[in-house]
Amino acid sequence: MRTHYCGLINESLVGQTVTLCGWVNTLRLQSHVAFVDLRDHEGIAQVVIERENADAFAVAGELGYEYCLRVTGSIRKRLSANDKLKTGTVELLAEQVEILNVAKDLPFALHENPNEDMRMTYRYLDLRRPDMQQTIRTRIRLVQALRRYLDMRGFQDLETPILTKATPEGARDYLVPSRVHPGQFYALPQSPQLFKQILMMAGFDRYYQIARCFRDEDLRADRQPEFTQLDMEFAFVEEQDVQGFVEAMIRQVFKEVIGVELGDPFPRMTWEEAMRRYGSDKPDLRIALELVDVADLLKHVEFKVFAEPANDPAGRVAALRLPGGAALSRKEIDQLTEYVAKYGAKGLAWIKVEDLAKGRDGINSPVAKFLDDAALDAVLKATGAQSGDMLFLGAGKWKTVTDFMGALRLKAAKDRGLVENSWKPLWVTDFPMFEYDEEEQRFVALHHPFTAPKVDDIADLRANAAGAVSRGYDMVLNGNEIGGGSIRIHRPDMQSAVFELLGIGAEEAQMKFGFLLKALKFGAPPHGGIAFGIDRIAALMAGTESIRDVIAFPKTTSAQDLMTDAPSLVNDAQLKELHVAVAVAENAKG
């Protein structure tokens, strides 16, 4: 139907007859000539339709925006080049113009930036936009580069089941009723985790898969109910083996796909250090700001807001220095206070350092009066405060303070333009094995229940579960966790002990994970792996905030597909065949 792509014609084709297909990007109809910018996924070509060609010129009079055309003609040099187009030195003199399909008035012009609902409802038009074409093609190049890298290094691309067993630990499963097993359900996989471990037990040694995964959870800009990850597993490895291989892979892929050279090697930081310095287990190292612990400096003050958490082993008092922050207005401070309240802060203390040389007289703060000169001076020195700076102080329970001060660090830095324009990868290691869920009154796995602890002794793990460290590791890039993995448990007794510490009794463990425990008894090798979020990496490469931009057909933040109107009701006959009855909640009626 066509001989060339619109965006690939050039001067080497001058004098040749070619056929192009595409959409009318713009149309300029004059008395003796018509100019059509014809667009396909490679770019734009200018088509010239002269009045002397009566048939073609008549068709030009019928054209409209986004009409789908086929044009045949000869390539010639343009009298006036357009340096904004890669085809700007040539044009197509039309001999034949065929309308392949008309287009009714579009709900939005493709050069506009419509609202999210409009984009999702008319996703086929949204994807037709050149910037979205480029974004999606960045994702395509990413996946191609990853496959090439792994295929050349002996990794085996193996598919794992989509219909699998429900093992509700962590996010909610999507359930699929079984027609042939009434009352029983499959689950869509949250990850191929257990299957890839079993592949190592089966002797496949090096596995990868571009895997589709599903989680029935609340959505954010970087979350979708269905998403794609690069899943990998290695047999007979330690942490450094996995980390060294995938670090080299990510470095190569970034260079190949977007021409970015990432540092070599990536820095490493323990979870404890990341939380202490940055208030996050995925710190954005483009931001130089750091949290400073000042509890030891404030234990003696009479101000209970500081003194009580300072003297509490489970408390924290942390300070954040914001360079130039003394210029913040009271309204801006109040807005930051409201912001951190979403992360559990009951308030936000602040100290404006207007003139450091004047001592207390150069300080503007509602809390400075509660601090004696020694405490105030110690805080200023510990934070490295300078004239013109703002100090924010957070006090309370360790986790709460760490969370809201970490969020404040990001927010304040972005608001004040303190985010470096660069790429900052790192490894975060030595995560806690467990965290305690106050609501459920039990330990939960910080990564997943198949992550190995640093200690090999089960008695030691049981005795020190609250402080146990795992063999988990995350790759972080510019404040985003792009990959997470661990060395896995390969001994059945250790796996059973971890289940027990998570409140999963022997009977429940057999019901949910009996197949895994059985497999571990037959010479399971030490193994480990990692999974990378394809959507997240593609979004970073494309420079977009939302992974919805790099997924061809994403869901909205309410987990809906507005284009196909999914999810939707199904008829009673289908439900009956699946042995499913639907109970509608009162607040969902009418």
Side-chain angles (χ1 to χ4, degrees):
M1 180 170 275
R2 64 184 169 195
T3 62
H4 295 76
Y5 289 106
C6 298
L8 299 182
I9 62 171
N10 55 47
E11 291 186 42
S12 69
L13 298 172
V14 170
Q16 296 186 31
T17 297
V18 303
T19 299
L20 306 179
C21 294
W23 290 270
V24 175
N25 194 65
T26 60
L27 171 66
R28 303 180 300 284
L29 190 59
Q30 300 175 7
S31 58
H32 290 84
V33 66
F35 297 95
V36 176
D37 280 350
L38 195 65
R39 185 194 71 251
D40 64 15
H41 83 285
E42 290 289 357
I44 291 174
Q46 177 168 280
V47 175
V48 180
I49 308 171
E50 295 181 339
R51 190 179 187 88
E52 287 77 4
N53 186 338
D55 291 342
F57 197 73
V59 174
E62 301 174 13
L63 299 181
Y65 182 54
E66 288 303 301
Y67 274 40
C68 190
L69 306 184
R70 181 181 185 219
V71 182
T72 299
S74 58
I75 300 295
R76 69 184 186 185
K77 291 191 69 171
R78 290 178 64 159
L79 294 176
S80 178
N82 181 351
D83 57 10
K84 294 181 180 179
L85 296 178
K86 62 180 179 179
T87 61
T89 61
V90 294
E91 62 190 12
L92 175 68
L93 178 61
E95 297 168 6
Q96 294 179 317
V97 180
E98 178 185 357
I99 298 175
L100 299 176
N101 215 337
V102 301
K104 62 178 291 186
D105 291 342
L106 272 62
F108 55 85
L110 300 194
H111 63 273
E112 296 174 346
N113 189 23
N115 64 50
E116 192 78 0
D117 282 359
M118 187 73 77
R119 292 179 62 194
M120 295 300 104
T121 302
Y122 298 95
R123 187 61 168 176
Y124 38 85
L125 296 178
D126 186 46
L127 289 173
R128 200 184 288 178
R129 298 191 296 148
D131 59 336
M132 283 299 295
Q133 288 270 320
Q134 186 58 45
T135 296
I136 294 295
R137 291 173 80 179
T138 298
R139 179 200 178 98
I140 293 168
R141 291 196 303 274
L142 165 64
V143 172
Q144 290 171 336
L146 289 168
R147 285 194 183 280
R148 275 195 301 271
Y149 193 93
L150 294 169
D151 289 343
M152 291 175 62
R153 287 160 178 82
F155 276 73
Q156 299 167 91
D157 183 359
L158 290 164
E159 294 179 343
T160 53
I162 292 296
L163 295 177
T164 184
K165 184 180 179 67
T167 54
E169 273 292 317
R172 299 181 187 91
D173 289 326
Y174 276 102
L175 299 177
V176 180
S178 170
R179 180 182 59 83
V180 296
H181 298 284
Q184 298 186 45
F185 294 81
Y186 297 103
L188 302 182
Q190 296 187 29
S191 88
Q193 181 63 43
L194 297 183
F195 289 103
K196 68 179 181 178
Q197 289 188 237
I198 288 173
L199 285 170
M200 297 302 99
M201 300 169 201
F204 281 95
D205 199 73
R206 295 290 187 272
Y207 144 95
Y208 88 93
Q209 181 183 186
I210 306 295
R212 202 70 168 163
C213 304
F214 307 85
R215 291 180 187 170
D216 187 5
E217 59 184 352
D218 295 335
L219 305 185
R220 301 195 299 271
D222 62 344
R223 294 285 173 89
Q224 283 280 297
E226 53 180 314
F227 57 96
T228 305
Q229 64 186 37
L230 167 62
D231 216 60
M232 304 173 65
E233 199 76 6
F234 309 65
F236 301 105
V237 288
E238 305 283 357
E239 290 92 328
Q240 61 268 25
D241 300 315
V242 178
Q243 293 169 10
F245 181 90
V246 299
E247 180 178 319
M249 176 187 73
I250 291 297
R251 195 179 293 113
Q252 171 61 31
V253 165
F254 266 77
K255 182 178 180 181
E256 182 179 335
V257 176
I258 59 172
V260 166
E261 299 264 6
L262 297 178
D264 184 7
F266 293 179
R268 278 160 171 72
M269 184 181 299
T270 66
W271 176 89
E272 187 280 330
E273 182 184 358
M275 299 300 284
R276 175 172 50 83
R277 294 173 60 187
Y278 303 106
S280 172
D281 59 3
K282 48 181 186 294
D284 191 340
L285 299 188
R286 297 174 302 166
I287 300 170
L289 310 182
E290 293 191 24
L291 306 184
V292 178
D293 284 307
V294 294
D296 287 347
L297 309 177
L298 300 174
K299 287 183 176 180
H300 67 282
V301 301
E302 296 182 4
F303 190 40
K304 290 184 178 180
V305 171
F306 292 158
E308 287 184 354
N311 287 282
D312 182 354
R316 186 177 191 187
V317 185
L320 176 70
R321 179 178 75 90
L322 182 62
L328 289 176
S329 67
R330 186 54 189 264
K331 180 180 178 182
E332 289 173 314
I333 295 171
D334 289 344
Q335 288 172 340
L336 289 174
T337 303
E338 290 175 12
Y339 179 78
V340 297
K342 295 185 292 187
Y343 295 86
K346 294 180 180 178
L348 186 63
W350 53 270
I351 299 173
K352 283 188 178 184
V353 186
E354 295 176 340
D355 189 340
L356 190 64
K358 291 182 179 179
R360 186 177 289 274
D361 291 337
I363 297 297
N364 176 6
S365 168
V367 299
K369 61 186 177 184
F370 300 114
L371 307 180
D372 56 53
D373 289 345
L376 180 60
D377 186 56
V379 169
L380 294 173
K381 286 181 178 177
T383 56
Q386 302 293 320
S387 296
D389 290 348
M390 169 76 88
L391 299 184
F392 290 107
L393 291 94
K397 291 297 183 183
W398 186 90
K399 185 179 187 307
T400 302
V401 172
T402 300
D403 287 347
F404 78 71
M405 290 298 285
L408 174 66
R409 172 181 176 267
L410 295 176
K411 171 72 172 168
K414 290 175 182 177
D415 288 350
R416 303 290 292 176
L418 299 177
V419 183
E420 182 184 326
N421 183 21
S422 62
W423 295 90
K424 296 284 188 178
L426 80 152
W427 285 104
V428 178
T429 65
D430 296 345
F431 283 80
M433 186 75 180
F434 310 109
E435 59 182 349
Y436 194 74
D437 188 315
E438 295 287 351
E439 196 171 302
E440 295 192 18
Q441 294 289 294
R442 69 177 182 96
F443 285 121
V444 295
L446 197 68
H447 267 77
H448 54 61
F450 320 108
T451 297
K454 285 242 175 180
V455 297
D456 288 327
D457 185 80
I458 292 175
D460 188 353
L461 178 64
R462 286 186 173 126
N464 302 288
V469 175
S470 80
R471 298 179 71 179
Y473 38 81
D474 284 357
M475 185 184 287
V476 176
L477 180 61
N478 291 2
N480 296 273
E481 178 214 326
I482 62 170
S486 67
I487 298 301
R488 323 303 189 188
I489 298 168
H490 70 282
R491 287 168 33 203
D493 57 343
M494 178 63 80
Q495 186 65 78
S496 293
V498 168
F499 285 154
E500 181 186 323
L501 286 167
L502 292 170
I504 303 172
E507 186 176 337
E508 183 183 1
Q510 278 298 321
M511 181 183 70
K512 291 181 177 178
F513 306 110
F515 64 96
L516 173 67
L517 293 170
K518 184 189 296 184
L520 289 171
K521 295 176 180 177
F522 294 97
H527 59 284
I530 194 166
F532 287 95
I534 295 290
D535 310 309
R536 196 169 298 176
I537 295 174
L540 285 168
M541 285 181 162
T544 179
E545 291 292 322
S546 172
I547 63 170
R548 289 192 295 277
D549 287 339
V550 295
I551 299 172
F553 300 103
K555 306 294 187 291
T556 66
T557 51
S558 58
Q560 289 179 296
D561 181 344
L562 298 182
M563 185 183 74
T564 64
D565 195 26
S568 60
L569 298 174
V570 297
N571 62 47
D572 290 341
Q574 286 178 286
L575 294 174
K576 185 176 180 180
E577 190 174 34
L578 292 169
H579 315 283
V580 170
V582 176
V584 181
E586 286 297 322
N587 60 6
K589 292 179 180 178

